[in-house]
Amino acid sequence: MTWSERFLESLGLRGHLVAGPDQVSGLTVAAGSITAQVQGSRRKPYDVWIDLPVFSPAEWARAERAMASDPSCYELILDGDLPPGLEDLFADCGLSLLPAKVQDLTMDCSCPDWAVPCKHVTEVLWVLAKAFDADPFDVLTWRGRTRSRLLEHLHDLRKSAAIAAEPRPAVNAPVAELPLAECLDDFWLGGGDQPSEPPRQPADPALDRLDPPDLVIRGRNLADLLGPAYKAFSSW
């Protein structure tokens, strides 16, 4: 069943075309509103409005997640078409993509006829149904989501899902230790708690019996400076 057939059937309008579609002009589909002009018996065309509530941001987010998680649905939308099961997908999200009945619509016409819908509104509904066959994305636009915005949101959702599915490195993974013989050259260059340079070797055994002084002269510890003097004294 085509989009036009499903739309007209939901409104109970199949077989109720009053006049030819050439009397309808300026059909515009926007979020929540359809506008058009219908040429009647008067010189000036009548203005017609047909409103349908748009989905809330939360409702659209729910539907977009469902569309993004269905690869075949996403590919069809990417190719410029809507999947035939899109209505069922929206229904699974608790949403009715097409109006379920004519009472779901708010309709108005500038003609003097008090009937709702009047014949001019009915003519616009027929032309609108045919417009859905030509571009089914008008159905989504009427509910508040243009094709470009929908594709943008679906792309972001698919990208986020792909990033979340990527494997992540293990946290605190054990590091393999190399034998000491294989890392002697850079043993003192390692990180962690290892010293950045070999420990200082006192210049004379006599200095080993004393605690190293805290005095530093020109960047060198006093014990290092006194080392040569101790060696000289011990050789006398």
Side-chain angles (χ1 to χ4, degrees), residues 21-221:
D22 56 334
Q23 293 181 296
V24 178
S25 62
L27 181 73
T28 302
V29 181
S33 182
I34 303 292
T35 58
Q37 291 78 45
V38 179
Q39 184 63 59
S41 58
R42 298 182 180 181
R43 178 179 300 179
K44 182 180 179 181
Y46 297 116
D47 294 318
V48 172
W49 299 267
I50 305 173
D51 295 342
L52 178 69
V54 300
F55 294 143
S56 68
E59 290 171 333
W60 265 116
R62 192 161 69 243
E64 287 169 342
R65 284 194 298 269
M67 286 185 279
S69 62
D70 187 330
S72 60
C73 176
Y74 175 73
E75 292 298 330
L76 279 173
I77 293 175
L78 202 62
D79 290 339
D81 198 4
L82 294 183
L86 190 62
E87 282 187 274
D88 294 333
L89 184 147
F90 272 76
D92 292 339
C93 296
L95 303 170
S96 177
L97 183 56
L98 292 172
K101 53 188 182 300
V102 71
Q103 288 76 14
D104 292 341
L105 303 175
T106 300
M107 300 169 285
D108 195 11
C109 180
S110 61
C111 76
D113 193 345
W114 288 94
V116 179
C118 67
K119 63 180 182 180
H120 309 109
V121 171
T122 303
E123 290 165 10
V124 172
L125 289 172
W126 268 86
V127 174
L128 177 62
K130 296 302 181 183
F132 288 159
D133 284 341
D135 186 359
F137 283 92
D138 280 345
V139 178
L140 304 181
T141 299
W142 200 15
R143 282 294 194 180
R145 185 65 82 240
T146 62
R147 178 184 177 183
S148 60
R149 182 62 62 86
L150 175 66
L151 287 173
E152 178 184 344
H153 288 183
L154 294 183
H155 175 74
D156 290 343
L157 287 169
R158 297 277 295 184
K159 183 178 180 181
S160 299
I163 293 175
E166 291 180 355
R168 298 180 180 272
V171 180
N172 297 327
V175 180
E177 296 184 0
L178 296 175
L180 181 60
E182 298 182 16
C183 57
L184 289 177
D185 292 340
D186 57 354
F187 179 77
W188 296 109
L189 300 178
D193 297 331
Q194 297 177 345
S196 59
E197 60 182 11
R200 180 183 59 82
Q201 297 294 329
D204 188 84
L207 295 176
D208 289 341
R209 295 191 293 270
L210 301 175
D211 293 332
D214 295 332
L215 185 60
V216 176
I217 301 175
R218 295 184 180 179
R220 299 183 63 187
N221 190 276

